[in-house]
Amino acid sequence: MIIRGDEPEQIALLKKLYPKGNYFMQGDEAIAYGAIFAGCRFYAGYPITPASEIAETMARELPKVRGYYIQMEDEIGSIAAIIGASWTGLKSMTATSGPGFSLMQENLGYAIMTETPIVVVDVQRSGPSTGQATKGAQGDFFQARWGTHGDHPIVAISPISVEDSFWETIRAFNISEKLRIPVVLLADGVIGHTREQIRIPDPEEVEIVYRKLPKNEKEAKYPFGDVDGSLVPPMPLFGHGYFTHVTGSTHKETGLRDVYTPEVHIKLVNRLHKKIKKHEKEIEKWEEYFTDDMEILVISWGVSARPSLGAVLKAREEGIKVGLFIPKTVHPFPGKKVKELAKKVRAIIVPEMNLGQLILEVQRYVNDDVILKGVNKIGGVPLTVEEILREIRGV
């Protein structure tokens, strides 16, 4: 049975289990509830700090909504399991942290090549290697983009609060389902373990997207073909009577393997990129504050965005004309918007919990006459308002 998450009985069940109102929970728990409201009904994972609370919540709650939870032997098995579940029609998710995300990269590439809608949550922690297992960080910005090999597109989303974690998880599922692509949710251990009040909505308030299915046998024969001009093929599901061939090797529109013909590879990989480009406006999302009169711009993401906003508010109280730009979708990076904003200012400050990653993307879209300065902090302790404010005053 396909569980899309929007059937009347599912809506009634969600209303009964999770009445509309205010709740007090961790960011990790908010991600789990967001997934359930988005229609996720299969979770496979392996425990890892600081993401384990997602698995714990899913293990407890999924059976209540006729979903399935399985603890796998490792992170490789976890992502493999959700790929398989997705091809049966179940919205599927796994969650991990840096070391486990590294193990998932080969199968992430497989999911990209086979256009399998899944959500992979990376609750970032301090690294490299085992690092500070219980401490949050923002060191996986580029791993999310380039962690798997080859010329591949990816969508990565980064929430900035506990409530944001709920809603951005839903958005991750919707993008994944609409475009038949894996989506990475770049969370972090600080927000993941922060407890805040969030509003759980009525499930009828939540927009749910489900993947495009073949309308007939003819469409089902081309599970990797652009049958309607959207560049997103319909997805024939296993167990529904279709002859469906799925391979990570280069394949024709029928799904059958062809690793010898250059034109087949060129057409396939270019379409994977073009479908993201075509739907870029739907994928991109950001917040901006005080950008009309700014002379200085702060660009930040994830856990560093909130102290950045605090610093911007205090700086404006001091008469400093500073604005803030927060990309919620970090990949594909909103370079055009950054380029537009950069033309208005003399300096850009980029606070993040790493030694400088987002700033390298920003640098690609900024002219040399603009001062570009990173505010970087590692060691598992988030940036403070005062640390960012000091740098704003400095430029």
Side-chain angles (χ1 to χ4, degrees):
M1 178 182 61
I2 301 170
I3 301 177
R4 303 186 186 196
D6 59 352
E7 301 93 333
E9 62 268 27
Q10 280 286 309
I11 290 174
L13 190 55
L14 290 175
K15 284 185 175 185
K16 181 181 178 181
L17 291 170
Y18 318 113
K20 177 179 178 179
N22 293 327
Y23 291 74
F24 191 63
M25 65 177 67
Q26 286 186 336
D28 281 353
E29 293 170 315
I31 290 169
Y33 286 112
I36 290 169
F37 270 68
C40 176
R41 294 298 178 267
F42 185 87
Y43 180 96
Y46 185 79
I48 186 171
T49 306
S52 294
E53 290 85 356
I54 298 174
E56 291 166 5
T57 306
M58 294 299 266
R60 185 182 67 240
E61 301 298 327
L62 270 180
K64 299 177 185 177
V65 293
R66 293 184 294 149
Y68 306 91
Y69 170 92
I70 182 170
Q71 181 169 314
M72 299 300 292
E73 70 275 15
D74 56 29
E75 291 85 356
I76 299 171
S78 299
I79 189 170
I82 67 168
I83 290 170
S86 183
W87 274 95
T88 71
L90 291 173
K91 292 185 180 181
S92 303
M93 182 177 85
T94 188
T96 187
S97 190
F101 193 46
S102 297
L103 290 173
M104 291 182 179
Q105 292 304 322
E106 181 182 2
N107 272 333
L108 183 60
Y110 179 87
I112 293 167
M113 191 64 152
T114 57
E115 297 176 78
T116 305
I118 56 172
V119 172
V120 177
V121 182
D122 174 18
V123 185
Q124 299 168 90
R125 78 187 204 192
S126 184
S129 188
T130 308
Q132 296 171 288
T134 62
K135 302 294 185 181
Q138 291 182 291
D140 300 348
F141 179 84
F142 280 119
Q143 188 187 21
R145 178 63 190 93
W146 296 113
T148 195
H149 65 282
D151 293 307
H152 65 277
I154 195 71
V155 175
I157 292 170
S158 188
I160 64 171
S161 69
V162 174
E163 182 153 353
D164 207 35
S165 298
F166 177 88
W167 288 104
E168 290 303 295
T169 302
I170 294 171
R171 188 166 74 95
F173 272 97
N174 286 345
I175 292 171
S176 176
E177 292 286 323
K178 182 172 184 176
L179 300 182
R180 261 188 72 179
I181 186 172
V183 174
V184 175
L185 188 76
L186 269 181
D188 64 79
V190 180
I191 294 174
H193 284 169
T194 295
R195 290 189 182 274
E196 292 181 325
Q197 178 176 284
I198 80 165
R199 175 185 169 272
I200 293 290
D202 187 295
E204 291 179 307
E205 297 174 29
V206 179
E207 180 190 4
I208 298 294
V209 176
Y210 191 74
R211 66 199 66 171
K212 187 195 314 177
L213 301 175
K215 297 174 185 173
N216 49 51
E217 290 282 347
K218 184 179 178 182
E219 283 193 0
K221 289 179 181 177
Y222 299 97
F224 302 96
D226 182 18
V227 299
D228 60 6
S230 69
L231 301 176
V232 183
M235 187 173 178
L237 304 177
F238 291 172
H240 287 255
Y242 300 120
F243 173 78
T244 306
H245 191 271
V246 181
T247 175
S249 295
T250 297
H251 45 270
K252 301 174 186 177
E253 294 182 347
T254 58
L256 295 176
R257 190 170 178 267
D258 182 348
V259 298
Y260 299 107
T261 310
E263 290 77 16
V264 171
H265 185 81
I266 292 165
K267 184 177 181 181
L268 170 61
V269 175
N270 279 340
R271 182 178 60 76
L272 296 180
H273 284 269
K274 285 177 182 176
K275 77 174 178 181
I276 301 301
K277 192 71 179 173
K278 182 181 177 72
H279 298 276
E280 203 167 57
K281 288 186 178 179
E282 304 162 50
I283 297 169
E284 288 182 339
K285 184 180 178 182
W286 59 73
E287 292 181 9
E288 57 181 301
Y289 302 86
F290 312 114
T291 56
D292 291 338
D293 66 342
M294 63 180 178
E295 297 175 358
I296 300 167
L297 175 63
V298 176
I299 301 178
S300 194
W301 64 291
V303 64
S304 299
R306 291 170 78 182
S308 294
L309 178 57
V312 165
L313 291 171
K314 283 185 175 292
R316 291 192 76 88
E317 287 175 3
E318 296 176 10
I320 303 171
K321 293 182 178 179
V322 56
L324 174 64
F325 179 75
I326 304 169
K328 293 287 194 70
T329 302
V330 294
H331 302 300
F333 187 71
K336 290 179 184 176
K337 183 64 179 179
V338 169
K339 189 173 184 178
E340 173 192 319
L341 293 174
K343 292 177 181 177
K344 299 180 177 182
V345 298
R346 58 183 175 79
I348 295 176
I349 296 169
V350 185
E352 46 186 333
M353 278 184 73
N354 56 46
L355 292 180
Q357 295 191 25
L358 174 70
I359 194 172
L360 298 178
E361 276 292 287
V362 173
Q363 190 175 38
R364 297 170 56 206
Y365 300 95
V366 175
N367 292 333
D368 291 339
D369 59 348
V370 175
I371 298 168
L372 183 59
K373 184 173 179 56
V375 185
N376 307 108
K377 193 174 184 180
I378 58 174
V381 181
L383 285 158
T384 66
V385 170
E386 187 57 42
E387 286 169 335
I388 299 168
L389 180 60
R390 190 183 309 129
E391 296 298 334
I392 293 172
R393 291 171 180 149
V395 298

